[in-house]
Amino acid sequence: MRGIPLGVAVVAFGLYFIGLGTPPFIDPLEGFHAEVARQMAIGHDWVTARVNGVRYFDKPPVLYWLISASFAALGPTPFAARLWPALAAVGVAAVTARLGVMLGGARVGLLAGLIVVSNLGMFLHGRIVKPDLVFILWIVLAYAGFAIAYRGGGRRGLVLFYASLGLAALTKDILGALGPLAVVALFFWLTRERPVGPWVPWWGVLLTAAIALPWYLAVEAGSRGFLWYTIVDNHLLNFTRQRMFPDEDVPLGSIEFLVVTVLAFLPWALALPWALARAFRRPWADATARLWPLFGLWAVVVIGFFAISPFKLPHYGFPAFPALALLVARAWDETIEARPGSASPRALLAPLLVLFVLVAATLAAVWSGIVRIPAGALASFDVTTRNLAARGHAVPQSPVDAWLPLVLRGAVIFAIASGALAVAVWRRSAAFGIGVALAATLAFLPAVAGEGMTQFIRARAVRPLAQALVQHAGPGDLIVHEGPVENSASALIVLRRPVAVVNGLQSNLAFGATFPEARDVFWDSPRLQTAWAAPGRHWLLSTVQPERSVVRSLPAGRVHLIAQSGGRWLYSNMMER
C-alpha cells in the first residue's frame, strides 16, 4: 500500500506536466506573479515584493521565492513559473492518497488521490501561476499531520500540523491558514473530546509563529501600514465590501459560488450527498472512524463560510477538494464492497451515466452547429471575464471554428464512456463504473481541457504586443500602460523596464502606490496629455476599448493604432515606417 501515493503522484505528474509550458503567460495574473518573482531576484529583496517599481503586498512570498529559484535555473519562462503550482498539485494528490490509505485502505487511497486531481477546478488552477495550489498542499499536509497525531502518532504529527499552518500563512494569507484550527475546534466540540489543551501545545503555536511572523513583521518594519492593509483592508473590510483600496475583482453570488464549486468538482460531486451523509453518520467506534467527520467538517466549513461571505471568487472552494475527494472515495469503496448502509451501485452509477450522456450530446450538438455556446458562458468561472464584463468591456475570444476539433474530441470521449457506463449500470458494477469515469476524466482533461486552456490563453495573451514594443520601441521612448498594470504584466518580463501607468489605481498595487517611490509611476489623463505632446516617440498599451480609452483625449493626429491583440490596443504618436 505504500506504493499507492507514489503511483498516484506519477499519474498526476503526467496529467499536469503535459504541455505545461506551451501557452504564453496569461494576464492577469500569471504575468504579474512571474514579474514579482523576477524583480525579487533582480533586486535581491526577498522581503518586500515589487512590480514596476511599486511595492506589492497582497500575497506572501513563498511562491515568489520558489519561482525566483526556477527562473535562476531555467530562465523567466512560463514553464519555470508554472512548475511549482504543478508540483504542488502532484503533492496534493500524493498526500491525499496517503491519507486515504491510512484511513480506509488501498482502494480509498487510490481513488482519493486520483479524484482530487482529476477534476476541472484543480486541473486548471494547477497549471497557472497562482499560489492557491501551494497553499492547498500546506493545508492538506496540516490535516495529515493532525490525523497522524490523532491516531497515536505522537508529536511528529503535531509538528507537521503546526509547521504546515506556518507555511500556509507564508504562502497565501495569515487568516486563511487559521481555518484548520477552527475546523479542529468544531471537531472536538462535535466529538465532545476533552481536554483540548494537549492539541494546542505552546511549542506548536510557537512553531507556527516562528515560520510565519518574521516575514510579516519585517515587511511592516519596512512598509508601515502593511499589517493594517493585509488584515483589515484586504480581509475584514473585503468581507464587508468596504475596502479602502479595492481591486477589480467582481465576486460571485452565494448560489453562483455553490454552483461553480460543484461544477468544478464534477463528475465526483455527484456522489457528495451519500459521501457527506456517511461522514457524519454515527457511531464512530475508534480514532480512525472519528476522523471522517473531521474531513466532512473541513469541506462544509470551507464551502459554507465562503457561501455566506459577501466576497468570494470561483476558486475559493478549492481548499475543500482534498476532503471531498476522500469522502467520495470512501463512498465508492463501501459501495464496491457492498457494506451495510452504503449506496447501491446504481445510485452512484446512474447520475454519472446521465451526466456523461448529457455532456456527449451537448458537445455533439455544439460541433454540429445545433447549439451555440453563450457569449457569457465563462463569466462565472473566469475572474478576468467577470471583471471585463462588469466594466462593459468586450471579452477577447478565439474563433468558434478553432474550438470545434476539441469539442468533437470531447464528444467522442464522453460517448465512449457513456456506453461503458451503461454496461456498468446494467451489471451493477461500481468498480467498473468508477474505473470508466476515471479513465474518461483523465483522457478529457489533457486532450480537451488542457488544449482548450492553451487556445484560451493565446487569445488573451499580451505577448504579440509586447514583442512589437521590443522590436520598435527605442531605449528613450516613453511607454505608458492604460489600466491596472497587472492586466498586462507579462509585457514587463519582455520589456525589462518600468512603464508609466495611467488610470490604473484600482489595482493590486493601490496600497503600494501610497509610498513615495510610486509617485511618478501612476498618472492621470492630464499628465499623459502633457507627456504625449512632448518631443520624442511615445507608446500607449491600453486594455480599455477605444471608445472609452484615454486616447480620446489625445490629439487625433498624434494617435496611431499600431497593433491590436488579446483585448489590448497598442498606440503610438508616430506612424510605423
Side-chain angles (χ1 to χ4, degrees), residues 103-105 107-109 111 271 274-284 288-289 292 326-345 348 428 430-431 434:
L103 302 182
R107 186 190 291 120
V108 173
L111 292 177
W274 291 273
L276 288 170
R278 180 68 181 92
F280 294 106
R281 188 192 307 156
R282 297 175 186 267
W284 303 314
T288 298
W292 288 109
L326 285 161
L327 298 175
V328 169
R330 183 196 192 195
W332 276 97
D333 178 69
E334 291 187 343
T335 294
I336 292 170
E337 293 292 326
R339 293 180 184 170
S342 63
S344 68
L348 296 182
R428 295 183 175 85
I434 188 68

Side-chain angles (χ1 to χ4, degrees), residues 63-103:
L63 179 66
Y64 307 127
W65 291 344
L66 295 172
I67 295 175
S68 295
S70 56
F71 277 0
L74 304 172
T77 65
F79 176 83
R82 294 173 186 141
L83 172 66
W84 300 106
L87 283 176
V90 174
V92 169
V95 177
T96 304
R98 184 68 187 94
L99 272 170
V101 170
M102 181 179 10
L103 302 182

